[in-house]
Amino acid sequence: MEVSSEYAVQMRGITKYFGTFCALDHVDLNVKKGTIHSLLGENGAGKSTLMNVLYGLYQADEGEIYLNGKKADITSPNVAISHGIGMVHQHFMLVDNFTVTQNIILGNETTSHFGVLNMKKARKDVKNLVKKYGLEVDPDAKVEDISVGMQQRVEILKALYRGADLLILDEPTAVLTPQEIDDLIKILHNLIADGKTIIIITHKLKEIKASSSTCTIIRRGKYIDTVNVADCDEEDLASKMVGHAVQLVVQKTPAKPGKTVFEIDNLHVKDERGLPAVNDLSLKVHAGEIVGLAGIDGNGQKELVEAITNLCKTESGTIRINGTEIQNTTPYNTVHHKVATIHEDRQRRGLVMDFSVKENMVLEKYNQEPFCHRGLLNRGEIASYTKDLIKDYDIRPADCVDEPARGLSGGNQQKVIIAREVANEPDLLIAVQPTRGLDVGAIEYVHKTLIRERDHGCAILLVSLELDEIMSVSDTISVLYKGQIAGSFKQGEVDEKTIGLLMAGGKLNG
Amino acid sequence: MLNNISLLVGITLMYSAPLIFGALAGVISERSGVVNLGIEGMMTVGAFVGAAVGYFSGNAWIGFLAAGIAGAAFALLHAIAAVTFKADQTISGIALNLIGPGLALFLCRLCFSGATMSQPVPHKLPKILGDAQENTVAQNLNLDITVVLALATMLIMWFVLYRTKWGLRIRSVGEHPAAADTLGISVDRTRYICVLVSGMLAGLGGASMTLAVIQQFTPTAISGHGFIALAAVIFGKWTPQGAYGACLLFGFAEALSVFLGLKNVPIPTEVLAMLPYILSIVVLVLFVGRSVAPKADGLPYEKGTR
Amino acid sequence: AGCGGAASSGSSAAAGGAASAASTSGAAGSAKGYKIRMVTDTGGVNDQSFNQSSWEGLQNLKKEASADINYMESKQESDYATNLDKAADDDAKLIWGIGFAMAKAISTAAKANPDINYAIADNGYDASSMPKNVTGVMFRAQEPSFIVGYIAGKTTKTGKVGFVGGINSNIIDQFEYGYKAGVAYAAKELNKKITVNAQYAESFSDSSKGKAIANSMYSSGCDIVFHAAGGVGVGVINAAKDSGKYAIGVDRDQAYLAPNNVLTSALKLVHSAVEDVSKKSMKGEAIGGKTYTYGLTEDAVGIPTEHKLMGDATYNAAMKVESDIKSGKIVPPANKAEYEKFQKTL
Amino acid sequence: MDRTVKILKKPITSTIIAILCGFLVAAIVLAVTGYNPGASFGALFNGILGRPKYISNVIIKATPITLTALSVAFAYKVGLFNIGSEGQYIVGAMTANIVGYLCNFPPVIQIPLVVISGMVAGALWGGIVGFLKAKFGIHEVLTSIMLNWIALYLSNLAVQSSVFHQPNTTAAYPVNPSSYTMLLPNWKTSDAGIAFLSQHKLLKEVLLKTDVNFGFLVAIAAAILVWLLLYRSSRGYELRAVGLNRDAAEFAGISVTKNIVLTMLIAGALSGLAASMAITGTNPHRISILSAFENNGFNGLSVAFIAGSSPIGCIFAGLLFGGLLYGGQSIQANIGAPSEIINIMIGTIVFFVALTKVVPALAVRLEKRGMRNAK
Ligand SMILES: Nc1ncnc2c1ncn2[C@@H]1O[C@H](COP(=O)(O)OP(=O)(O)OP(=O)(O)O)[C@@H](O)[C@H]1O
Ligand SMILES: Nc1ncnc2c1ncn2[C@@H]1O[C@H](COP(=O)(O)OP(=O)(O)OP(=O)(O)O)[C@@H](O)[C@H]1O
Ligand SMILES: [Mg+2]
Ligand SMILES: [Mg+2]
């Protein structure tokens, strides 16, 4: 393709090595001005790497970049910023203990004189931006105190504040609630109307359809195709990305619920600030049943899970596993009542990143036979156990038994956790946001696993912010609103609209 | 009564001044994400250079300045290791603690015909009230100028860290270097500057020992001050004002133990000597509690790793 | 004249060289290259105290008698034995151990190497347990301490003086009680009450603490403070300087630190004793099995002659005291028990 | 090429390269300051290896610092920075001394009693740090620094106390000979022993001239045990999990507080063991007034980091450091270079060890270049 000023970005033959690993192999990308262009690919395909090259964080080993038809030598983020490129990173680049305003102005501060910060003006600037693009945030809140959705907005504001014309968004929706996603897409369209160009990375095909005009697909570091989104349906996109046909609809037989495994009665839990977060909540999960807990982030999901796993204390009420009360004991007690949990924060709670995959695989049973004998670890046993799980769960690369978990991609890290938790043969499996950030292939796999375990008689509590996921996987759907169950339905008895209404605090008529 | 209070205040401030410089050195370095275990070594180098230059130039101020420069120059080693070579900052600091005193003593031998103790400087750094005072209270409060400078340095550092753009950048580099990097802030340059300033302050701390508290370099002039300063950094939760307060507390406890010794309380002197250390722990447990380091403290920043 | 001076100093150096060359074949040949090794205690050779002073003594010996000297530093107590052993491996004729902490190590080494002479500074042995090849060197530090105490007593206007010790030990006791006795002696003579405020820093290095203690003493009315505390004492002298009061130095003449504030110093000239004993050994004198005690009579302790701060009257009175000590009329106490006895005799 | 890369990637290679660079820079320092580097290193190696008894002394010197290094390395692997090893050593020595002096059982009881008492004291001292960290979240470096000084004064208090103070010395009474852990402590000084030894020169030199003791064997055993504990036992698994990711460990049902305290107890016990072996194994078998830290713990810190916190590595790093400390004195004795130069030299070596990461990075770069050339 010719170099032309019609394009905001043209990347040609970009090649990038990490050590000896080739992450990008002669990849091209052409983004027309004033459009939303999406980038699609499996976990680890090289999307983030490509964008990091564009933003100057990585230097390509080969290839050229043209901006608005002119060759650009982007050697650092500074250069990128001066070219009007802004990037919202997959892992947020926010300083937690700074305020929103401080984060936004960082590196481009408004000062009165002698470098003294002029926070008054900064705050005003931020407020103006907020108003202009409808990105509602509190400029004085500390980042660690606001929701991820808000943090996402801060990231976008950061880019806009620097006058970005080209905005790169790396998986911006992975952590957003459906409402927030809708809002975000609206915001993106506003930005396009304002003359900006946007590159967006997402695993959610629906979002691509809703937002973008064109889509470039890469697979394992290689350029595959660029398509007109209007001409493709979701299946087309998915199969292009994975290289073979993908089942997007969850296939399952009706549940055959057994006895009650898990029972919560009138539970009250306070959050870190001492405010009520879970409010007189009651819930039951039977063996062989998936209960999906829908709800907007911040309605008590976190505290509920922490209470069940004994990471925090409850105020009152009971939590019973197979009839035994476990509240206000220790995490150990929860684990050993055959509760397995897939935590939403896989790097913080789910894995010891510097342990090998093998060591991570036995995090809850390192001291049980056959992995441990008389206080000594049986490493052979652990290794062969891990190898089996790696095979069963198709964790890649297949020879990662002794590799540190840190070296795995997010998707594969998630698989390690799922494999471990499921292999514990729990009576209750709590899955919190189990598919966050995964590509469609991996999501399909996770969902299949959950259903398989259900069919084996496991009781499953699925906590997710993704309404689609809840609707398609759960047998029973409960809506969490302000720490209470606002309604419970069997699958098929209810539509997405009703659930959405309840999630937003609405009331059902009659 | 007034006499006793002024005495306690005077000793507290005298004792804490070198520690404050050392602790502020730790704060600025660690705030940018570089653990500085080498404060002790840097202080010793500063102590020597301060005294030696003060002696040869005949002007304590020139010595004081030179000590800052020498401390910074010595800290350059730490910066190169920690920033450029992404080295283990802990070991690099330990190495500086081994090299610093060796270097100071060695240079001292060179400059003072084989002696490991410098000649006394002709004029020390001035006192706030000038010469010795007749009135005991006034004399007790006739503080070294370094006490004032330490306070001023703390205030300036506080202002820079929390009120200026450089402070915002330094703190961002110490908390989340990748974030700073994506905004075009040079993590390496920021850290270099902070480590050099850290060395400079540690050097000044050493010199405030050998140009104000005493008037010459001795091999034991700095013995453990750097580590107490390090403790003060943690105690003060990595803030200039907190570290300052921690040093004052420590100085006060020393003053108290001296005071009790003077009053012949029936406590063994060994136990009195423990007092500052015990008191620090007690205050920590009762009033201060958990302190959390800057998130990236001690972690070398390499682009593209998370 | 400048040229001539340079030439003459050049020629004298040449002459010196010739002299020493000639002596190689002469009677002094045994002295030239006489190997003396010194093992420091854990204070190290730069302790500004007896290790350093001893080493200076040996360095003088090298200059004057071309002795082959060297030292080994001990960092921990367990180094004593190995350092003494290395010194013996070096074919040393005389091995010095500095400080009474080394007493046990020296006697063990001496038994193992009967051909080598050992000497120890600041320690004597019981006659019964004394090996034949060990020489003890002791100081009567209480004598100069008594004199400076006397001077302090005569000089104080407030009737209050102070003493700052490093860490308690027998050696520091000599200073403390000698000093206290001297003060008491002066008080008796003046017929007034003088109190001595004694405080220990629990350190030999923390100058700030020395300064803090001295400041608190001055603030509570003391006008003279004597120290026997190594690096801590540097702080004491600085406190005197800052508050315009008097301090009394120790070991060496510390007046150079604060000429207007160091009233006097209690000299303990370890170097001269080390030099003296070494010379005896070089000459082939039988020094083994003996303990030499150095005091005023041996000119190894005393006070500096410079006395502008105290004036002639006081100085002369002090000299009188000195001769009384020399003559045995006054026996300064070296520890608490002796001090209590001494008080009764007043 | 591949082989070079592989060798370069090994941690031991980079450590060795670091040590060589350290020597190189030390040589420059020596040369600049006017001392012949060749002669200096000659003296150094002669001082380390020149005679059997030197080797023996190096090993004796290496014993306590190897053990304190183990203490530091162990804690570091579990995510704690044990700068308090010095204090743990001091209270360990104090307690071993007191127990060894007050009790006098036959060696089979006495030795374990004395050794264990030192370990228990060290463990308690470390345990305080662990407890304060686990319970109140107080940073271990802070409490450790304070406790080091408290230990020093506590030890001095004990030495000065009327019960333990040996009159006319600055020391406590030594432990009873039944506590000795030297090789044949009684026989070698007996007439029969001396008669026998005088016929065996080498044995005589090593046995009589040095305090050959079981300490280093204990240190090796301890290193192996620590390694086993860390990497082969379920307890060690727990400890490491807590050290590497407290949140994940907690979530998996592992008690964080218990393991932090346990870590510091074990680390303290290792430092205490170092002290016990020194008290029972080397002259003068007692503690004395400390006017400054003896650096047994602080040197352990350097050793642990030279070893990259590997327990087995601590043995070799301990020997290296012990050699430098002991042999370094020979540089001073033979070449006349003051001890400061030796400290600078040791510091330089440690400094270069800090830079070890550069070597594997270099290897990767080599590898990459090799690969692209092949392409
Ligand atoms: N810092 C790094 N060091 C080494 N290898 C890396 C690094 N970053 C990425 N890689 C490699 O490059 C490949 C592409 O990574 P990248 O992060 O670009 O994937 P991605 O397409 O963004 O995946 P995801 O959908 O999971 O975000 C990965 O498979 C990984 O092996
Ligand atoms: N320190 C590292 N060393 C080697 N490879 C790394 C490192 N950090 C990241 N990678 C590589 O980067 C790739 C992408 O990692 P990343 O964490 O972006 O995965 P992800 O699927 O995007 O995670 P998530 O979507 O959960 O954020 C992984 O395949 C991994 O191999
Ligand atoms: Mg990515
Ligand atoms: Mg991802």
Side-chain angles (χ1 to χ4, degrees), chain C residues 9-67:
Chain C
S9 76
S11 69
S12 79
S20 72
S23 68
T24 344
S25 53
S30 62
K32 158 109 186 142
Y34 188 85
K35 269 198 180 170
I36 304 177
R37 294 292 175 264
M38 169 184 134
V39 176
T40 75
D41 76 358
T42 53
V45 77
N46 305 320
D47 68 344
Q48 305 155 51
S49 182
F50 46 69
N51 286 304
Q52 193 164 345
S53 185
S54 307
W55 178 236
E56 284 162 8
L58 290 185
Q59 281 173 312
N60 278 340
L61 207 60
K62 181 179 178 186
K63 257 186 240 146
E64 289 170 13
S66 306

Side-chain angles (χ1 to χ4, degrees), chain B residues 91, chain D residues 11-12 15 65-78 219-220 222-224 226-228 230-231 300-318 353:
Chain B
I91 328 181
Chain D
I12 178 79
T15 308
I65 53 180
T66 302
L67 283 164
T68 51
L70 272 176
S71 162
V72 175
F74 171 76
Y76 199 69
K77 283 285 179 201
V78 185
I220 292 176
I224 295 172
V226 167
W227 179 82
L228 275 175
L230 273 178
Y231 297 106
L301 219 62
S302 305
V303 172
F305 281 105
I306 291 179
S309 297
S310 135
I312 305 298
C314 284
I315 300 173
F316 300 99
V353 171

Side-chain angles (χ1 to χ4, degrees), chain B residues 93-244:
Chain B
I94 291 174
L96 290 202
N97 284 343
L98 292 170
I99 297 173
L103 194 67
L105 282 182
F106 181 75
L107 293 176
C108 191
R109 280 187 198 278
L110 283 186
C111 300
F112 294 93
S113 52
T116 51
M117 195 163 149
S118 78
Q119 289 294 316
V121 295
H123 306 286
K124 299 210 280 186
L125 289 172
K127 302 214 146 213
I128 54 171
L129 302 178
D131 291 335
Q133 301 289 305
E134 277 303 318
N135 181 309
T136 322
V137 174
Q139 177 54 30
N140 285 337
L141 295 177
N142 191 5
L143 306 167
D144 291 318
I145 191 83
T146 48
V147 169
V148 181
L149 290 177
L151 176 64
T153 310
M154 183 275 281
L155 292 175
I156 292 171
M157 189 181 290
W158 176 85
F159 188 81
V160 169
L161 276 181
Y162 298 105
R163 288 287 179 273
T164 69
K165 63 175 183 180
W166 302 295
L168 198 66
R169 292 175 182 195
I170 290 168
R171 287 187 291 141
S172 74
V173 165
E175 289 287 334
H176 197 331
D181 193 11
T182 56
L183 296 176
I185 296 167
S186 166
V187 175
D188 285 7
R189 201 177 62 202
T190 309
R191 289 189 169 178
Y192 255 92
I193 293 171
C194 287
V195 173
L196 293 189
V197 170
S198 170
M200 182 192 83
L201 291 176
L204 295 182
S208 62
M209 188 75 207
T210 53
L211 288 172
V213 176
I214 53 176
Q215 50 177 345
Q216 66 189 138
F217 174 74
T218 70
T220 56
I222 302 298
S223 43
H225 295 77
F227 288 99
I228 298 294
L230 191 71
V233 173
I234 303 171
F235 198 119
K237 305 192 172 181
W238 285 269
T239 64
Q241 68 276 23
Y244 185 85

Side-chain angles (χ1 to χ4, degrees), chain A residues 11-49:
Chain A
M11 298 178 85
R12 318 192 116 195
I14 301 291
T15 300
K16 171 74 190 165
Y17 284 89
F18 286 112
T20 57
F21 171 79
C22 181
L24 293 174
D25 185 4
H26 295 93
V27 174
D28 292 344
L29 177 70
N30 297 283
V31 181
K32 273 215 179 102
K33 268 189 199 160
T35 63
I36 302 183
H37 189 113
S38 55
L39 202 53
L40 182 63
E42 289 175 273
N43 291 123
K47 308 175 296 289
S48 300
T49 308

Side-chain angles (χ1 to χ4, degrees), chain C residues 37-38 42-43 45-46 55 68-83 85-90 100-105 108 112-113 122-124 126 167-171 200-206 209 335, chain D residues 47-48 51 53-54 57 61 64 89 152-153 156 160 165 167-171 174 180 209-211 282-296 299 325-330 332-340 343:
Chain C
R37 294 292 175 264
M38 169 184 134
T42 53
V45 77
N46 305 320
W55 178 236
D68 173 350
I69 59 163
N70 216 332
Y71 68 90
M72 260 156 271
E73 277 189 307
S74 307
K75 304 247 159 60
Q76 330 180 323
E77 260 207 290
S78 58
D79 290 344
Y80 295 157
T82 56
N83 278 339
D85 187 47
K86 266 201 174 168
D89 285 353
D90 237 7
F100 73 123
M102 289 181 69
K104 194 180 166 202
T108 313
N113 301 291
D122 258 351
N123 190 65
D126 293 341
I167 302 177
N168 214 327
S169 76
N170 295 0
I171 300 293
Y200 279 78
E202 285 308 314
S203 163
F204 282 110
S205 56
D206 191 346
K209 190 146 188 187
N335 54 44
Chain D
I48 296 172
R51 296 176 66 161
K53 70 174 176 190
Y54 293 170
N57 275 332
K61 188 111 205 151
Y89 182 99
L152 182 122
Y153 293 120
N156 284 356
Q160 299 276 28
H165 188 249
N168 298 321
T169 67
T170 50
Y180 289 178
K209 295 268 164 104
T210 75
D211 291 325
T282 55
N283 264 307
H285 300 288
R286 58 165 193 211
I287 55 170
S288 44
I289 294 287
L290 295 169
S291 51
F293 291 117
E294 283 190 319
N295 288 342
N296 289 302
N299 285 341
L325 284 180
Y326 180 73
Q329 295 180 333
S330 298
Q332 187 264 305
N334 295 342
I335 312 298
S339 53
E340 293 89 73
N343 287 340

Side-chain angles (χ1 to χ4, degrees), chain C residues 149-154 181-192 194:
Chain C
Y150 176 78
I151 293 171
K154 293 280 271 190
V183 173
Y185 191 80
K188 172 87 186 169
E189 197 180 288
L190 298 171
N191 202 11
K192 68 179 201 185
I194 305 175

Side-chain angles (χ1 to χ4, degrees), chain A residues 19 29 55 81 128 170 197 226 258 264 292 353 384 398 440 487 503:
Chain A
L29 177 70
Y55 192 63
I81 293 169
N128 286 342
D170 191 351
T197 309
T226 299
I264 296 180
M353 297 291 277
S384 68
V440 278
M503 280 165 64

